[in-house]
Amino acid sequence: QTKQPPLELAQQIAGAITKPDWLEKAEAVAPGFINFTLSRDFLKKELGLEKALVIPNGIDPARFPEDKPFNKDHLKFITVTNFNFEGKTKGVEILIQILEKFRQRNRVSFTLAIVGGGRSLEKMKKRHADKSYVNFTGFSENVGPFLLEADLFLYYSLKDSFGIAVLEAMAHGLPVVSN
């Protein structure tokens, strides 16, 4: 068993991600400057929120394991999301489409655990019931045990400025592929 999935695997999945037209146009006009996170200065100057307090995201790396084995014969992908937000729900839809292309092209054995709850969860379960490699776990207060079982963390969201789940996955030693 290898400790981490090969970099080529992450690159193949990332290569299957297609950007929306509006994002490609925006990047052509301002390469390297596209960011959906709002700065403290923007909140204060542009929105007039003088008392804006920015609380940085944080993770305590001491809570997480340092290394874990990797089974290259069957890959375990995971994503964590909230199905109450349309942008995140659509992101999971796109992620499943990407993995379907990946599965067809590479004939690699894998499963995708989707951890999260919300009002669109049941609709998503029904829509993807025919995909044996997709497992909707539902909401969990503690995603740690799910992350410990995974080999690679995948994250795709249309409107998320920053996903704390990405930090948690990295703290668990998982490679991350994200848009």
Side-chain angles (χ1 to χ4, degrees):
Q1 289 190 346
T2 313
K3 289 188 178 183
Q4 289 188 7
L7 180 60
E8 298 84 38
L9 174 66
Q11 290 170 334
Q12 286 174 359
I13 293 171
I17 296 173
T18 55
K19 295 179 185 174
D21 290 341
W22 63 266
L23 181 56
E24 286 194 8
K25 290 175 185 171
E27 287 178 337
V29 173
F33 292 98
I34 306 305
N35 190 340
F36 298 103
T37 303
L38 299 177
S39 71
R40 177 184 349 211
D41 289 337
F42 180 83
L43 292 172
K44 289 182 178 184
K45 292 177 184 171
E46 302 297 324
L47 300 180
L49 301 173
E50 290 301 320
K51 294 183 181 180
L53 174 65
V54 176
I55 301 171
N57 291 312
I59 293 288
D60 179 8
R63 290 183 20 214
F64 306 107
E66 289 188 24
D67 230 344
K68 63 186 194 92
F70 165 71
N71 179 357
K72 65 181 180 180
D73 296 324
H74 179 80
L75 301 172
K76 295 178 184 174
F77 301 146
I78 187 171
T79 192
V80 177
T81 196
N82 183 335
F83 288 106
N84 284 321
F85 299 98
E86 184 182 341
K88 290 185 177 193
T89 300
K90 182 64 177 166
V92 172
E93 289 279 3
I94 293 169
L95 184 59
I96 292 171
Q97 291 171 9
I98 291 167
L99 287 177
E100 185 60 28
K101 288 179 188 175
F102 175 77
R103 186 182 67 81
Q104 291 171 359
R105 290 180 189 160
N106 296 286
R107 303 287 183 215
V108 174
S109 173
F110 69 87
T111 53
L112 171 64
I114 302 173
V115 181
R119 64 179 171 261
S120 299
L121 175 60
E122 291 306 314
K123 181 172 71 173
M124 290 287 287
K125 281 181 169 182
K126 288 177 186 172
R127 184 175 295 142
H128 298 289
D130 62 325
K131 295 173 182 72
S132 61
Y133 61 90
V134 177
N135 175 29
F136 291 90
T137 68
F139 174 77
S140 176
E141 285 279 338
N142 181 10
V143 299
F146 296 102
L147 293 171
L148 287 173
E149 291 296 316
D151 299 311
L152 184 66
F153 186 84
L154 306 173
Y155 193 76
Y156 199 108
S157 176
L158 298 180
K159 295 186 179 181
D160 205 357
S161 62
F162 184 81
I164 195 79
V166 171
L167 281 182
E168 289 180 316
M170 292 171 75
H172 276 83
L174 289 176
V176 173
V177 175
S178 179
N179 65 324

